Amino acid sequence: MTKQTSKAMASTAAKVMGSKNSSDIQRKLAGSVLSQTGNKKTTSENMETVASQVLQSNKYSDITKGLAASALSQSTKKAWEK
């Protein structure tokens, strides 16, 4: 079974992309999440690393961490084990 972005997370990502207050990292993660909606695409190795770093840091918001978790859940590799 192919992993897919949930409708709720896709909605959150779309809101992040549409907000002028979103940070660059939020936009990168949201773009990755949205690019994996409704298809079989997976997270790139570069985005896996970014998402892993976000999840390991205390400086990011819950929204940013949620986007990072979604991006990693679409991963075929395990960046956090590198």
Side-chain angles (χ1 to χ4, degrees):
M1 184 169 159
T2 304
K3 302 174 201 173
Q4 292 186 356
T5 301
S6 71
K7 288 181 183 181
M9 187 51 64
S11 176
T12 297
K15 288 176 186 174
V16 165
M17 294 298 284
S19 173
K20 63 181 179 182
N21 297 322
S22 297
S23 67
D24 288 343
I25 192 72
Q26 285 176 324
R27 289 181 190 278
K28 284 182 185 179
L29 291 166
S32 179
V33 167
L34 286 173
S35 73
Q36 299 161 17
T37 302
N39 58 52
K40 297 179 181 182
K41 292 182 180 180
T42 59
T43 303
S44 71
E45 189 171 337
N46 180 50
M47 283 309 301
E48 288 175 20
T49 301
V50 170
S52 178
Q53 290 171 346
V54 166
L55 290 173
Q56 293 176 34
S57 174
N58 292 325
K59 74 176 192 173
Y60 295 103
S61 69
D62 288 345
I63 290 173
T64 307
K65 287 191 173 203
L67 291 166
S70 180
L72 276 181
S73 75
Q74 305 297 317
S75 172
T76 57
K77 301 188 187 320
K78 295 182 179 176
W80 58 90
E81 292 182 355
K82 292 180 183 179

